[in-house]
Amino acid sequence: MSQQHIGVVGMDVMGSNLALNIESKGFPVAVYNRTAEKTKKFVEQECVGKKVMATYSIPEFVGALERPRRILLMVKAGPPVDEVIQQIKPHLGKDDILIDGGNSYYKDTARRNAELAKDGLMYIGTGVSGGEEGALKGPCIMPGGQREAYNHVESVLCKIAAQVDDGPCCAYIGPGAAGHYVKMVHNGIEYGDMQLIAEAYNILRLALGMTATEMQPIFAEWNRGLLSSYLVEITANILAKTDPDTGKPVVDIILDKAGQKGTGKWTSQDSLDLGVAIPTIDAALTGRNVSAYKDERVAASKVLKGPRSSRFRGSKEKLVKAVHDALYAAKITSYAQGLSLLRAASKEYNFGLNIAEIARIWKGGCIIRAQLLDKIKDAFKRNPDLASLLVDSQFNQTVSELQGNWRFTVITAKKLGIPIPAMNASLDYFDAYRMARLPANLTQAQRDYFGAHTYERVDKPGSFHTEWL
């Protein structure tokens, strides 16, 4: 029996598309799924004439792979990953490599990496972004784990990744759980981006009374400029889609109740542990959570009253331009928060992250790919120790130029009673970050008053307590 270069476990859409992608780049693949029928159907319907070998037991699957064995796990995050590892591990040998391509929690990845290393096995926690289409045509790939393990799979991962002007959208991220951590923060930034775009849409919808059809060319135009990105592009496409049953825009018949899979929540939780402020991502999570109160919101809308009108009475063109600028400034600020979290995590967990390289691989394949990332890459190349994107000379100038329209947009939304939690959180973060003195001195005085927590002084070193009574 011929030996395959790599194996894929899990034949749902992501796993099967990645297997097809790998084979198309010249690497023979063995595939296995717990349900044999799914493997059989995949190979018979999609792999005719391709170098894809179906296997129907774990011993057969492992035996079909050349050494060191490279095994890509595309199974649901959580206990299923541990279950598959336990099933496969007895059949593996020293230096074999498991690659977890799911959205695993980074602490689970760190644990698995350490446990498998004791048995001489290598484990690569690999963030994969790009959805079903990306898996087939070229995703962004964020592998972390033993560098030696990455060296054995680099040729495969770099060839199947999306390709941009300066290389493949794949790079070694760092040791341990670095890959899944970076993917987690990527998803947190994605939450922020989606919420900011939704808020821009809502301002145009409510303040200007624009229909989806009227907004579509605006988002399409925005995608040709500074806001050029995958998420703005698909927003324009979404606004153009008509429901065949009702003749209405599809977006108008979708229930306003958003879900989440956990990665955004993990990002917020870890930011609290590290003491890093990411209010835009936090606001995006809050926005999704509030949306889930659909029945309560419908009931509340009948008794809770806001401003008399949500309509803007000024220049339509002025507000559209202001919303564009506010969206871009808030987006920059949201990225600044996410990258600050990566910077702090890199130090805390000894990941040794290269932020410029992470921005580079995010330029293609992934959900947050955007023109902006080229400028972010350049900023961190100019200064790898950049404290915040906001203090980079180019981004500082851009946000300074946009803040007038940013403030106008936020003020207008507030006056009209239109909720903009993420856009407002971004502006508050910007204003707090640029303040040399915040009112935390009063907070410290309060803490010392009721709990004798002590405080520092501005005029001399040390820890102090006042007898307030």
Side-chain angles (χ1 to χ4, degrees):
M1 183 173 68
S2 62
Q3 299 282 288
Q4 308 301 95
H5 186 76
I6 189 169
V8 180
V9 176
M11 288 293 101
D12 284 333
V13 176
M14 286 294 289
S16 58
N17 279 359
L18 281 168
L20 291 171
N21 186 353
I22 292 168
E23 193 278 338
S24 73
K25 300 303 186 296
F27 300 99
V29 187
V31 296
Y32 169 77
N33 194 80
R34 181 174 55 86
T35 307
E37 185 58 36
K38 187 171 284 189
T39 304
K40 187 172 185 291
K41 182 179 178 181
F42 169 63
V43 172
E44 290 180 352
Q45 293 186 359
E46 300 188 56
C47 302
V48 176
K50 300 182 186 296
K51 294 179 180 179
V52 177
M53 177 186 292
T55 63
Y56 297 98
S57 71
I58 286 178
E60 181 189 8
F61 171 72
V62 173
L65 301 174
E66 65 185 34
R67 298 193 179 201
R69 300 180 181 97
R70 305 164 183 85
I71 298 173
L72 174 60
L73 307 179
M74 295 303 300
V75 297
K76 187 177 180 181
V81 177
D82 290 308
E83 290 169 12
V84 171
I85 289 172
Q86 291 308 310
Q87 292 165 7
I88 291 179
K89 190 169 74 168
H91 305 280
L92 301 180
K94 188 175 183 299
D95 294 334
D96 285 346
I97 303 158
L98 293 174
I99 310 160
D100 178 6
N103 272 336
S104 289
Y105 185 38
Y106 81 96
K107 290 185 178 180
D108 287 339
T109 300
R111 168 180 56 80
R112 292 168 187 146
N113 185 289
E115 289 174 352
L116 289 166
K118 294 176 183 176
D119 295 319
L121 302 173
M122 294 188 280
Y123 190 75
I124 305 177
T126 303
V128 178
S129 177
E132 297 173 11
E133 183 180 7
L136 181 63
K137 298 180 180 178
C140 172
I141 304 176
M142 296 156 261
Q146 293 93 340
R147 181 70 197 227
E148 179 187 355
Y150 175 72
N151 292 340
H152 283 293
V153 299
E154 180 178 13
S155 59
V156 177
L157 298 183
C158 285
K159 283 189 178 179
I160 69 169
Q163 307 293 315
V164 291
D165 56 353
D166 48 6
C169 294
C170 172
Y172 177 68
I173 299 298
H180 274 143
Y181 192 95
V182 168
K183 176 58 166 40
M184 178 186 78
V185 175
H186 163 284
N187 284 21
I189 294 171
E190 176 187 310
Y191 274 48
D193 255 7
M194 294 171 73
Q195 179 68 27
L196 288 169
I197 293 168
E199 290 174 14
Y201 152 84
N202 212 31
I203 293 170
L204 300 183
R205 184 177 72 89
L206 295 177
L208 296 176
M210 297 181 74
T211 65
T213 303
E214 291 170 326
M215 282 186 271
Q216 192 279 331
I218 291 173
F219 278 91
E221 177 63 28
W222 287 358
N223 190 50
R224 290 189 282 271
L226 292 174
L227 286 168
S228 175
S229 66
Y230 174 72
L231 286 170
V232 171
E233 176 189 344
I234 68 168
T235 299
N237 293 342
I238 288 167
L239 294 172
K241 192 72 173 177
T242 302
D243 174 49
D245 294 334
T246 62
K248 297 178 180 178
V250 172
V251 72
D252 290 345
I253 62 167
I254 295 175
L255 185 68
D256 56 320
K257 188 175 178 180
Q260 57 172 300
K261 290 187 176 180
T263 46
K265 179 181 71 175
W266 297 339
T267 306
S268 284
Q269 288 172 333
D270 207 65
S271 75
L272 292 172
D273 290 339
L274 295 180
V276 178
I278 54 168
T280 307
I281 296 170
D282 295 340
L285 283 164
T286 298
R288 293 195 187 194
N289 290 337
V290 173
S291 79
Y293 306 158
K294 178 63 177 179
D295 293 341
E296 291 182 37
R297 288 189 290 112
V298 171
S301 70
K302 299 172 182 176
V303 296
L304 299 178
K305 303 302 177 184
R308 290 185 178 181
S309 173
S310 61
R311 288 298 175 90
F312 178 68
R313 301 302 177 190
S315 164
K316 172 183 173 181
E317 291 73 20
K318 179 181 178 181
L319 184 58
V320 170
K321 176 65 167 66
V323 172
H324 168 279
D325 291 353
L327 178 55
Y328 191 56
K331 182 183 177 81
I332 290 170
T333 308
S334 180
Y335 272 77
Q337 296 163 34
L339 297 175
S340 290
L341 178 57
L342 286 183
R343 188 167 174 266
S346 184
K347 293 179 180 178
E348 179 70 19
Y349 307 131
N350 298 312
F351 288 153
L353 300 180
N354 182 334
I355 305 296
E357 183 68 351
I358 290 168
R360 186 195 69 76
I361 68 171
W362 282 353
K363 285 167 51 179
C366 70
I367 303 302
I368 65 169
R369 61 185 184 266
Q371 183 186 98
L372 173 66
L373 285 158
D374 244 334
K375 297 177 181 178
I376 293 175
K377 178 196 73 173
D378 292 342
F380 281 92
K381 276 194 168 183
R382 285 191 293 272
N383 180 6
D385 297 321
L386 189 64
S388 169
L389 202 59
L390 293 171
V391 298
D392 172 76
S393 58
Q394 290 191 12
F395 282 104
N396 180 5
Q397 180 181 349
T398 298
V399 174
S400 295
E401 291 171 353
L402 298 178
Q403 68 171 296
N405 272 345
W406 190 7
R407 295 183 190 284
F408 175 74
T409 299
V410 170
I411 290 168
T412 299
K414 292 297 181 187
K415 282 183 177 179
L416 299 177
I418 300 171
I420 49 165
M423 202 171 284
N424 189 63
S426 284
L427 183 56
D428 276 346
Y429 177 88
F430 171 75
D431 281 337
Y433 194 74
R434 69 179 181 81
M435 285 284 175
R437 186 171 174 83
L438 291 170
N441 54 319
L442 178 57
T443 304
Q444 287 300 87
Q446 292 167 335
R447 294 178 71 241
D448 189 58
Y449 189 108
F450 65 68
H453 291 290
T454 74
Y455 55 84
E456 296 176 86
R457 294 176 61 110
V458 298
D459 55 353
K460 53 187 175 182
S463 181
F464 298 87
H465 168 63
T466 292
E467 294 295 336
W468 296 97
L469 296 177

